Amino acid sequence: MSTSWLERRSDRSLNRQDDQRTPWQRDRARILHSAAFRRLQAKTQIMGVGQNDFYRTRLTHSLEAAQIGTGLVNQLKRRYQQQPELANHLPEESLMEALCLAHDIGHPPFGHGGETALNYKMLHAGGFEGNGQTFRIVSKLEPYTEHHGMDLTRRTLLGLLKYPVLPPEQLGDNSEPSPLSLIPWKAVKSVFHEDADVLDWVLAPLSTTDRALFQQLERLEQSPWQKSCYKSLDASIMELADDIAYGVHDLEDAIVTGYATEEQWRAQIPAAVDALPENMQQLMQPVTKALFRPEHHLRKNAIGALVNAFITSAELYECLPDASAPLIRFNAQLPAPQQRLLELLKGFVFRNVISQPDIQQARFRCQNMLLKMFDAFASDPNRLLPQNTQQRWQQAQSDGLGLRVICDYLSGMTDEYAETMYQKLFGAL
């Protein structure tokens, strides 16, 4: 691997006496000890914080994704140990842990509902998206260094980029009063224009041809207007770990909290499983029997069996066969039957939990809280923003970037802090 992927943007290395850690271990430590990571303990995964004492938060989800991510790396290294041209490019465990621990730190309060609200308010200023905010936090905002955020290695930053592109110039019209429905305003999946300099630095080791291949876009007819086509090898493993954690562990939450019932499962899942290969059907027979049993250890064993089935089936493939850089030429994926099963589980959670009226009503309420707070802070930032954020706003305002500072402030809030701030500004909703 080229040493350029080990470089940090500050062009310096803070090596303390007798510190034997690898660069990836240092990156993991910087993420683990950051304020942005700690805030995940009070941010929504699916159900709002405080609705139940069992469900997962963004923090516990990230910890589980890290465990799955390292399992995927170990499995892939074992599978391709006789093919060093593949195995040698796989990430170390500590690098994968760092990526999985950090992958959600850019998510705003109130989950994807909060993301959509902030995106609507930022349509004329570059939009908002959780992964783009993650990139912004680790590379600029988190005060580990004066100017470079956590100052992570180039390869770690590349692995955090799920969408390594910039947004389109025109994202839509938000000149009218905030609409009650934000469904048409899905977040554009990209890095923000303000962080284009960091994106250029991360991709600098790629040849001109490789970069053009890597940043290909699919144009869409409606919001979010574009879709990036590729991500790096490390990002593909991280995203796969995220999907498994969502599809399996959030299923467990849904069952334990009563949102998903055995009747719903038997009405929606077995017929679809019958279309899968025989080995997948054999896997799901005992899983189906155990998931809804009252004995918790049986359900835990079933959940573990599902996670193991996905991890042990992971494989590498050439997503960009014409690229010369291995970190973008290869990606990880599940074989088609396992991917289909994972999509079934994710769809089950979406239909029976996320789409339920009480969850959507809470999302509606929280979206409108963020819309109103954004308007309040934007109307009089020198009076309403905290003093340290006022200073950032004043510095950015001269460059026309004041709204991005307000968005940074709101997106960094935990669910509870956002509720408290709303009460300060407006009283009861």
Side-chain angles (χ1 to χ4, degrees), residues 202-220:
V202 172
L203 302 184
L206 299 179
S207 69
T208 301
T209 301
D210 275 6
R211 179 165 177 172
L213 289 169
F214 188 52
Q215 293 188 291
Q216 290 179 76
L217 291 169
E218 177 185 347
R219 298 294 179 181
L220 306 177

mmCIF file of all heavy atoms in Angstrom, residues 202-220:
data_model
loop_
_atom_site.group_PDB
_atom_site.id
_atom_site.type_symbol
_atom_site.label_atom_id
_atom_site.label_comp_id
_atom_site.label_asym_id
_atom_site.label_seq_id
_atom_site.Cartn_x
_atom_site.Cartn_y
_atom_site.Cartn_z
ATOM 1 N N VAL A 202 -8.068 13.967 -0.037
ATOM 2 C CA VAL A 202 -8.247 12.525 0.172
ATOM 3 C C VAL A 202 -8.028 11.759 -1.122
ATOM 4 O O VAL A 202 -7.385 10.704 -1.140
ATOM 5 C CB VAL A 202 -9.649 12.231 0.740
ATOM 6 C CG1 VAL A 202 -9.918 10.721 0.768
ATOM 7 C CG2 VAL A 202 -9.797 12.799 2.144
ATOM 8 N N LEU A 203 -8.535 12.279 -2.221
ATOM 9 C CA LEU A 203 -8.466 11.566 -3.497
ATOM 10 C C LEU A 203 -7.187 11.846 -4.282
ATOM 11 O O LEU A 203 -7.007 11.294 -5.378
ATOM 12 C CB LEU A 203 -9.680 11.931 -4.356
ATOM 13 C CG LEU A 203 -11.061 11.633 -3.750
ATOM 14 C CD1 LEU A 203 -12.159 11.953 -4.757
ATOM 15 C CD2 LEU A 203 -11.162 10.180 -3.298
ATOM 16 N N ALA A 204 -6.289 12.652 -3.725
ATOM 17 C CA ALA A 204 -5.072 13.042 -4.446
ATOM 18 C C ALA A 204 -4.210 11.868 -4.908
ATOM 19 O O ALA A 204 -3.613 11.934 -5.993
ATOM 20 C CB ALA A 204 -4.247 14.005 -3.585
ATOM 21 N N PRO A 205 -4.098 10.754 -4.147
ATOM 22 C CA PRO A 205 -3.271 9.644 -4.637
ATOM 23 C C PRO A 205 -3.822 8.935 -5.862
ATOM 24 O O PRO A 205 -3.091 8.181 -6.513
ATOM 25 C CB PRO A 205 -3.230 8.683 -3.435
ATOM 26 C CG PRO A 205 -3.520 9.532 -2.250
ATOM 27 C CD PRO A 205 -4.497 10.549 -2.745
ATOM 28 N N LEU A 206 -5.078 9.132 -6.171
ATOM 29 C CA LEU A 206 -5.673 8.468 -7.337
ATOM 30 C C LEU A 206 -5.228 9.157 -8.612
ATOM 31 O O LEU A 206 -5.103 10.387 -8.667
ATOM 32 C CB LEU A 206 -7.200 8.494 -7.249
ATOM 33 C CG LEU A 206 -7.848 7.792 -6.053
ATOM 34 C CD1 LEU A 206 -9.368 7.943 -6.131
ATOM 35 C CD2 LEU A 206 -7.463 6.328 -5.978
ATOM 36 N N SER A 207 -5.027 8.383 -9.646
ATOM 37 C CA SER A 207 -4.739 8.971 -10.950
ATOM 38 C C SER A 207 -5.965 9.713 -11.460
ATOM 39 O O SER A 207 -7.083 9.520 -10.973
ATOM 40 C CB SER A 207 -4.351 7.876 -11.942
ATOM 41 O OG SER A 207 -5.481 7.055 -12.241
ATOM 42 N N THR A 208 -5.762 10.557 -12.460
ATOM 43 C CA THR A 208 -6.882 11.305 -13.037
ATOM 44 C C THR A 208 -7.950 10.351 -13.564
ATOM 45 O O THR A 208 -9.153 10.571 -13.380
ATOM 46 C CB THR A 208 -6.383 12.210 -14.173
ATOM 47 O OG1 THR A 208 -5.392 13.110 -13.658
ATOM 48 C CG2 THR A 208 -7.532 13.013 -14.772
ATOM 49 N N THR A 209 -7.520 9.264 -14.202
ATOM 50 C CA THR A 209 -8.466 8.281 -14.736
ATOM 51 C C THR A 209 -9.230 7.592 -13.620
ATOM 52 O O THR A 209 -10.459 7.438 -13.680
ATOM 53 C CB THR A 209 -7.729 7.241 -15.588
ATOM 54 O OG1 THR A 209 -7.060 7.899 -16.666
ATOM 55 C CG2 THR A 209 -8.709 6.212 -16.143
ATOM 56 N N ASP A 210 -8.499 7.153 -12.582
ATOM 57 C CA ASP A 210 -9.148 6.466 -11.464
ATOM 58 C C ASP A 210 -10.154 7.374 -10.766
ATOM 59 O O ASP A 210 -11.254 6.939 -10.391
ATOM 60 C CB ASP A 210 -8.102 5.989 -10.449
ATOM 61 C CG ASP A 210 -7.508 4.642 -10.825
ATOM 62 O OD1 ASP A 210 -7.829 4.144 -11.918
ATOM 63 O OD2 ASP A 210 -6.724 4.092 -10.031
ATOM 64 N N ARG A 211 -9.771 8.630 -10.582
ATOM 65 C CA ARG A 211 -10.695 9.547 -9.894
ATOM 66 C C ARG A 211 -11.968 9.750 -10.721
ATOM 67 O O ARG A 211 -13.067 9.784 -10.173
ATOM 68 C CB ARG A 211 -10.019 10.883 -9.619
ATOM 69 C CG ARG A 211 -10.947 11.876 -8.926
ATOM 70 C CD ARG A 211 -10.248 13.044 -8.321
ATOM 71 N NE ARG A 211 -11.212 13.968 -7.748
ATOM 72 C CZ ARG A 211 -10.908 15.027 -7.017
ATOM 73 N NH1 ARG A 211 -9.641 15.302 -6.758
ATOM 74 N NH2 ARG A 211 -11.848 15.825 -6.546
ATOM 75 N N ALA A 212 -11.834 9.876 -12.019
ATOM 76 C CA ALA A 212 -13.012 10.039 -12.872
ATOM 77 C C ALA A 212 -13.917 8.812 -12.794
ATOM 78 O O ALA A 212 -15.148 8.934 -12.737
ATOM 79 C CB ALA A 212 -12.583 10.296 -14.314
ATOM 80 N N LEU A 213 -13.312 7.629 -12.782
ATOM 81 C CA LEU A 213 -14.105 6.406 -12.643
ATOM 82 C C LEU A 213 -14.810 6.361 -11.289
ATOM 83 O O LEU A 213 -15.994 6.035 -11.192
ATOM 84 C CB LEU A 213 -13.204 5.181 -12.791
ATOM 85 C CG LEU A 213 -12.643 4.874 -14.186
ATOM 86 C CD1 LEU A 213 -11.565 3.798 -14.086
ATOM 87 C CD2 LEU A 213 -13.760 4.436 -15.128
ATOM 88 N N PHE A 214 -14.078 6.691 -10.235
ATOM 89 C CA PHE A 214 -14.569 6.586 -8.857
ATOM 90 C C PHE A 214 -15.708 7.553 -8.583
ATOM 91 O O PHE A 214 -16.618 7.251 -7.792
ATOM 92 C CB PHE A 214 -13.397 6.848 -7.912
ATOM 93 C CG PHE A 214 -13.698 6.602 -6.461
ATOM 94 C CD1 PHE A 214 -14.243 5.401 -6.032
ATOM 95 C CD2 PHE A 214 -13.412 7.571 -5.508
ATOM 96 C CE1 PHE A 214 -14.501 5.164 -4.685
ATOM 97 C CE2 PHE A 214 -13.661 7.348 -4.169
ATOM 98 C CZ PHE A 214 -14.206 6.148 -3.752
ATOM 99 N N GLN A 215 -15.694 8.710 -9.232
ATOM 100 C CA GLN A 215 -16.683 9.746 -8.935
ATOM 101 C C GLN A 215 -17.816 9.805 -9.961
ATOM 102 O O GLN A 215 -18.504 10.819 -10.068
ATOM 103 C CB GLN A 215 -16.008 11.114 -8.834
ATOM 104 C CG GLN A 215 -15.081 11.226 -7.625
ATOM 105 C CD GLN A 215 -14.570 12.632 -7.425
ATOM 106 O OE1 GLN A 215 -13.771 13.136 -8.210
ATOM 107 N NE2 GLN A 215 -15.053 13.293 -6.381
ATOM 108 N N GLN A 216 -18.047 8.719 -10.662
ATOM 109 C CA GLN A 216 -19.148 8.688 -11.618
ATOM 110 C C GLN A 216 -20.486 8.863 -10.910
ATOM 111 O O GLN A 216 -20.689 8.384 -9.793
ATOM 112 C CB GLN A 216 -19.143 7.360 -12.382
ATOM 113 C CG GLN A 216 -17.985 7.211 -13.345
ATOM 114 C CD GLN A 216 -18.022 5.877 -14.054
ATOM 115 O OE1 GLN A 216 -18.828 5.667 -14.969
ATOM 116 N NE2 GLN A 216 -17.180 4.947 -13.626
ATOM 117 N N LEU A 217 -21.408 9.513 -11.592
ATOM 118 C CA LEU A 217 -22.720 9.826 -11.040
ATOM 119 C C LEU A 217 -23.822 9.260 -11.909
ATOM 120 O O LEU A 217 -23.690 9.160 -13.129
ATOM 121 C CB LEU A 217 -22.918 11.341 -10.940
ATOM 122 C CG LEU A 217 -22.095 12.098 -9.914
ATOM 123 C CD1 LEU A 217 -22.233 13.600 -10.151
ATOM 124 C CD2 LEU A 217 -22.530 11.746 -8.507
ATOM 125 N N GLU A 218 -24.914 8.911 -11.252
ATOM 126 C CA GLU A 218 -26.157 8.604 -11.947
ATOM 127 C C GLU A 218 -27.100 9.775 -11.736
ATOM 128 O O GLU A 218 -27.388 10.151 -10.595
ATOM 129 C CB GLU A 218 -26.784 7.324 -11.401
ATOM 130 C CG GLU A 218 -28.121 6.972 -12.032
ATOM 131 C CD GLU A 218 -28.776 5.773 -11.376
ATOM 132 O OE1 GLU A 218 -28.100 5.071 -10.604
ATOM 133 O OE2 GLU A 218 -29.992 5.558 -11.627
ATOM 134 N N ARG A 219 -27.552 10.386 -12.808
ATOM 135 C CA ARG A 219 -28.445 11.536 -12.710
ATOM 136 C C ARG A 219 -29.874 11.056 -12.471
ATOM 137 O O ARG A 219 -30.361 10.143 -13.126
ATOM 138 C CB ARG A 219 -28.395 12.393 -13.975
ATOM 139 C CG ARG A 219 -27.014 12.977 -14.238
ATOM 140 C CD ARG A 219 -26.610 13.977 -13.173
ATOM 141 N NE ARG A 219 -25.272 14.516 -13.410
ATOM 142 C CZ ARG A 219 -24.681 15.394 -12.616
ATOM 143 N NH1 ARG A 219 -25.299 15.812 -11.530
ATOM 144 N NH2 ARG A 219 -23.463 15.832 -12.891
ATOM 145 N N LEU A 220 -30.568 11.698 -11.537
ATOM 146 C CA LEU A 220 -31.944 11.347 -11.192
ATOM 147 C C LEU A 220 -32.891 12.451 -11.634
ATOM 148 O O LEU A 220 -32.504 13.619 -11.743
ATOM 149 C CB LEU A 220 -32.067 11.114 -9.678
ATOM 150 C CG LEU A 220 -31.088 10.100 -9.056
ATOM 151 C CD1 LEU A 220 -31.290 10.024 -7.549
ATOM 152 C CD2 LEU A 220 -31.267 8.728 -9.682
#
